[in-house]
């Protein structure tokens, strides 16, 4: 670790903390005099508590991080300090003792100062919240750092940070809980139990969700909706399958749905066959409060109802976050498709699209373990797979970049807001066919060979479609993000490079993904 980088990080953190203290001091005298200023002051404190907790932790362990991770955080810290310097400069001349004059003149001056403080705080709070969205992904990448110092520091700090609210607990506790699941068997993670009793769903009402294997469940005497997703145990791999599912469930128990774009796991249900062998496991997910039954992204794309550009960006940004945090948890998803993206209605009286979450962990695996080389010839699934992973029998092990490619195909569909897969029958039970939006023919026969013909041709056609159709719909930045994802394993790709860009813990790829994909899409404003 470069000493210069560490010193720069520490200096920026200390400078930022000092600036916030000065900003709060400048506003403190006006809290009693104006209720609206007091509300904004409290909101600033609410936002800053989490940020300050994360920054103080980073300051303490920055010399144990990789150079690329620290450099990524350093760039963000420069942006944070710039926002704080700007806010402080607007408030530094606001001092109640400077008010000269009397009568109407001082009353006007007082109102002007109040207005300045309110607008400055509004701008600062919005800036901090936007910055937090950029910072969280790199901060949580520290989960993957294999250094005991981080665990020791987390244990020291986990009770020291004051929680923001019941809804948003200390981020250090979250990180510690997720890191504990990375440890080998025999460690404290063995004390975390995720198995549930089947009696918990006795008498529950089930509601199918079209075009996905998941279903919604409403338990008796409960208003909280659950999402249930079954994963079938592969032949001859029950032990590894059980360990992987339990490990993922432990991680998903500690996610922040709004931040991660993943539903929080309540636990798992194990199913056995007549010979008492493990046959399947079901994930049980909690849903946001007062949720109604969700629909898949595929359903919305097929419906072809027009949506606003802001809605398109909201769904796209959340999906990018989802993929990133799956990788941060040490897994590859292997099944990123519109069928596995749930979108909840915004409210009881509001039919517009609300929060979206990535599910579909039916093919997931630990990123550090070998993957099976079996696929299938279904064109509507291969369309979302990188050419290296297409066909019934694949020759390349699954890596994070393959998920990034799948993400690119989904982002292309979202940007066009048209489905690439079409079902002649509205119930989704008929055999799917390529839609007009896809612009080229595709069938299962194309993927039946060991080395399917036309693998690269499909990718080239998707890239061409993105470059032709997306700019006028969603802009150049969104287009470049899609193309970067689709070409992530091309030798000339300036973002991820070729196949050899892999790293033992996934941090290098994670940092590049945050810098070039996640940060870029978050920065898009509508």
């Amino acid at each position: 670790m470069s000493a210069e980088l560490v010193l720069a990080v520490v200096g920026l953190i200390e400078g930022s903390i000092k600036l916030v203290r000065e900003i709060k001091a400048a506003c403190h005298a006006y809290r009693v005099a104006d209720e609206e200023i007091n509300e904004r002051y409290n909101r600033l404190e609410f936002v800053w508590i989490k940020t300050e907790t994360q920054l103080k932790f980073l300051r303490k362990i920055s010399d144990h991080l990789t150079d690329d991770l620290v450099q990524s955080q350093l760039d963000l810290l420069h942006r944070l300090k710039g926002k704080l310097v700007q806010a402080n400069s607007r408030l530094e001349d606001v001092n109640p003792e400077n008010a000269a004059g009397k009568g109407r003149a001082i009353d006007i001056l007082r109102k002007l100062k109040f207005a300045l403080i309110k607008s400055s705080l509004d701008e600062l709070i919005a800036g901090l919240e936007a910055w937090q969205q950029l910072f969280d992904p790199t901060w949580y990448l520290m989960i993957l750092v294999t250094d005991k110092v981080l665990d020791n520091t987390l244990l020291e700090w986990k009770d020291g940070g004051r929680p923001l609210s019941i809804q948003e607990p200390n981020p250090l506790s979250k990180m510690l809980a997720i890191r504990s699941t990375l440890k080998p068997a025999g460690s404290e993670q063995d004390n975390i139990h995720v198995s549930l009793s089947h009696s918990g769903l006795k008498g529950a009402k089930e509601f199918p969700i079209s075009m996905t294997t998941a279903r919604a469940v409403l338990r008796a005497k409960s208003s909280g909706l659950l999402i249930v997703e079954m994963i079938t145990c592969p032949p001859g791999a029950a032990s590894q399958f059980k360990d992987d599912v339990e490990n993922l469930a432990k991680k998903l128990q500690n996610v922040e749905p709004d931040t991660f774009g993943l539903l929080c796991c309540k636990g798992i249900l194990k199913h056995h066959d007549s010979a008492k062998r493990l046959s399947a496991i079901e994930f049980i997910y909690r849903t946001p409060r007062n949720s109604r039954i969700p629909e898949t992204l595929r359903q919305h794309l097929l419906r072809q109802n027009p949506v606003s550009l802001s809605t398109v960006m909201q769904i796209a940004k959340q999906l990018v976050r989802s993929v990133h945090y799956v990788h941060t948890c040490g897994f590859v998803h292997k099944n990123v498709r519109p069928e596995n993206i749930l979108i909840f209605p915004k409210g009881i009286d509001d039919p517009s699209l609300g929060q979206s979450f990535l599910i579909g962990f039916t093919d997931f695996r630990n990123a550090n373990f070998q993957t099976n080389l079996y696929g299938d010839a279904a064109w509507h699934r291969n369309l979302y797979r990188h050419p290296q992973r297409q066909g019934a029998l694949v020759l390349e092990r699954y890596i994070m970049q393959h998920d990034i490619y799948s993400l690119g195909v989904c982002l292309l569909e979202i940007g066009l807001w048209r489905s690439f897969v079409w079902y002649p029958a509205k119930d989704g039970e008929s055999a799917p066919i390529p839609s007009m939006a896809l612009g080229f023919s595709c069938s299962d026969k194309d993927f039946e060979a060991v080395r399917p013909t036309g693998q690269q041709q499909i990718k080239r056609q998707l890239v061409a479609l993105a470059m032709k159709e997306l700019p006028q719909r969603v802009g150049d930045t969104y287009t470049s993000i899609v193309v970067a994802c689709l070409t992530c394993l091309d030798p000339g790709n300036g973002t991820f490079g070729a196949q050899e860009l892999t790293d033992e813990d996934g941090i290098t790829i994670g940092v590049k993904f945050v810098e070039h994909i996640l940060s870029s899409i978050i920065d898009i404003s509508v």
Side-chain angles (χ1 to χ4, degrees):
M1 167 54 59
S2 167
E4 292 181 358
L5 280 177
V6 173
L7 289 174
V9 166
V10 172
L12 285 168
I13 290 173
E14 291 179 348
S16 296
I17 292 173
K18 181 181 178 182
L19 281 166
V20 172
R21 290 192 188 124
E22 292 175 0
I23 290 169
K24 290 164 69 176
C27 300
H28 186 78
Y30 293 94
R31 294 183 64 190
V32 178
D34 189 277
E35 180 60 31
E36 292 183 4
I37 291 178
N38 185 54
E39 290 176 1
R40 288 164 171 80
Y41 186 94
N42 290 335
R43 178 63 183 167
L44 174 62
E45 285 205 314
F46 179 91
V47 173
W48 181 246
I49 289 170
K50 176 183 176 181
T51 304
E52 186 177 28
T53 300
Q54 291 174 306
L55 292 182
K56 287 182 176 179
F57 177 76
L58 175 60
R59 180 178 61 185
K60 195 163 186 177
I61 55 86
S62 57
D63 55 337
H64 296 277
L65 305 180
T66 61
D67 281 358
D68 52 356
L69 182 53
V70 172
Q71 183 62 60
S72 178
Q73 292 170 335
L74 184 65
D75 295 339
L76 287 170
L77 290 171
H78 276 295
R79 294 175 66 165
L80 172 64
K81 190 174 181 181
K83 292 178 185 293
L84 296 174
V85 167
Q86 183 179 18
N88 195 43
S89 65
R90 294 183 63 185
L91 293 169
E92 61 184 1
D93 294 329
V94 179
N95 188 324
E97 296 179 358
N98 291 340
K102 54 186 177 181
R104 180 173 176 79
I106 196 171
D107 185 57
I108 293 174
L109 180 60
R110 180 173 177 270
K111 290 181 179 179
L112 287 173
K113 286 190 173 184
F114 281 11
L116 174 61
I117 293 172
K118 292 173 189 177
S119 64
S120 297
L121 287 176
D122 284 340
E123 184 177 333
L124 175 58
I125 291 167
L128 286 176
E129 290 176 334
W131 181 86
Q132 189 75 53
Q133 290 185 41
L134 295 171
F135 180 67
D136 274 342
T138 61
W139 193 80
Y140 278 109
L141 273 176
M142 291 189 289
I143 290 171
L144 298 174
V145 176
T146 55
D147 194 316
K148 291 183 178 180
V149 173
L150 268 73
D151 294 316
N152 295 335
T153 307
L154 281 168
L155 287 170
E156 294 173 5
W157 278 66
K158 73 169 185 174
D159 297 322
R162 177 163 56 93
L164 299 178
S165 66
I166 295 175
Q167 289 74 29
E168 189 165 9
N170 187 337
L172 301 183
S173 298
K174 288 287 184 185
M175 179 178 283
L176 181 62
I178 296 175
R179 275 184 65 84
S180 68
T181 66
L182 299 174
K183 296 180 181 179
S187 60
E188 62 264 32
Q189 74 149 315
D190 289 344
N191 297 323
I192 305 172
H193 300 289
V194 293
S195 293
L196 301 175
S197 170
H198 286 262
S199 62
L201 295 183
K202 186 176 181 180
K205 293 182 178 179
E206 297 191 359
F207 306 90
I209 304 174
S210 182
M211 299 180 186
T212 180
T213 57
R215 63 193 191 277
V217 173
L218 188 61
R219 292 172 295 171
K221 299 180 181 180
S222 174
S223 59
L225 191 71
L226 299 174
I227 300 296
V228 179
E229 180 177 39
M230 180 172 285
I231 305 176
T232 304
C233 179
S239 178
Q240 186 63 61
F241 170 73
K242 180 179 77 70
D243 289 345
D244 278 354
V245 170
E246 289 180 343
N247 193 260
L248 178 58
K250 291 171 184 177
K251 290 179 172 68
L252 294 178
Q253 279 185 334
N254 292 284
V255 301
E256 298 175 16
D258 291 343
T259 300
F260 285 56
L262 303 170
L263 292 172
C264 185
C265 182
K266 178 180 175 63
I268 59 174
L269 287 177
K270 297 176 183 176
H271 295 268
H272 299 82
D273 60 20
S274 58
K276 297 185 178 180
R277 294 171 299 194
L278 183 66
S279 59
I281 296 179
E282 288 182 315
F283 280 110
I284 312 295
Y285 303 109
R286 294 185 174 93
T287 63
R289 183 175 297 180
N290 300 322
S291 291
R292 291 190 293 158
I293 297 173
E295 294 183 303
T296 64
L297 173 61
R298 176 69 71 205
Q299 288 173 275
H300 287 286
L301 293 174
L302 285 169
R303 202 167 288 143
Q304 300 187 74
N305 291 336
V307 297
S308 66
L309 183 57
S310 60
T311 297
V312 167
M313 289 301 169
Q314 170 192 310
I315 295 171
K317 290 177 182 181
Q318 198 61 72
L319 178 58
V320 173
R321 289 192 192 97
S322 301
V323 172
H324 170 69
Y325 283 112
V326 169
H327 294 172
T328 298
C329 287
F331 285 88
V332 286
H333 189 278
K334 299 180 66 177
N335 203 12
V336 180
R337 297 185 294 133
E339 287 79 359
N340 293 323
I341 300 165
L342 295 183
I343 303 178
F344 288 83
K346 192 168 273 187
I348 296 177
D349 299 319
D350 187 352
S352 58
L353 307 188
Q355 291 178 288
S356 57
F357 300 93
L358 178 65
I359 59 166
F361 290 95
T362 52
D363 297 318
F364 83 98
R365 71 163 179 84
N366 188 303
N368 295 319
F369 295 160
Q370 285 294 327
T371 183
N372 68 68
L373 298 178
Y374 296 100
D376 59 62
W379 76 267
H380 62 288
R381 288 192 286 269
N382 280 289
L383 180 66
Y384 297 89
R385 295 170 181 158
H386 188 274
Q388 294 175 349
R389 294 288 304 181
Q390 290 173 355
L393 181 62
V394 295
L395 303 177
E396 298 285 346
R397 72 182 186 89
Y398 204 96
I399 57 177
M400 291 180 179
Q401 290 97 315
H402 293 147
D403 274 348
I404 295 172
Y405 177 88
S406 302
L407 170 66
V409 183
C410 290
L411 291 178
L412 175 55
E413 262 182 303
I414 293 169
L416 297 174
W417 202 249
R418 290 183 289 177
S419 177
F420 290 161
V421 180
W422 188 260
Y423 294 88
K426 292 183 178 180
D427 58 8
E429 297 297 326
S430 57
I433 60 175
S435 73
M436 295 289 290
L438 186 58
F440 56 87
S441 62
C442 208
S443 70
D444 293 357
K445 290 183 179 180
D446 297 329
F447 302 97
E448 289 175 352
V450 174
R451 285 183 178 273
T453 58
Q455 289 175 313
Q456 295 296 331
Q457 179 63 22
I458 290 174
K459 179 169 71 70
R460 285 193 291 268
Q461 288 172 308
L462 291 173
V463 170
L465 179 62
M467 297 180 71
K468 178 183 178 182
E469 299 289 343
L470 285 181
Q472 65 267 29
R473 295 174 180 266
V474 287
D476 293 336
T477 300
Y478 189 101
T479 303
S480 65
I481 291 169
V482 171
V483 172
C485 291
L486 293 174
T487 61
C488 63
L489 283 172
D490 288 10
N493 182 280
T495 303
F496 295 98
Q499 177 82 25
E500 60 267 17
L501 180 60
T502 56
D503 52 305
E504 186 175 336
D505 49 22
I507 292 176
T508 299
I509 295 171
V511 168
K512 286 184 174 293
F513 184 84
V514 170
E515 290 179 343
H516 299 284
I517 306 299
L518 183 53
S519 295
S520 297
I521 201 166
I522 288 176
D523 277 341
I524 297 176
S525 58
V526 179

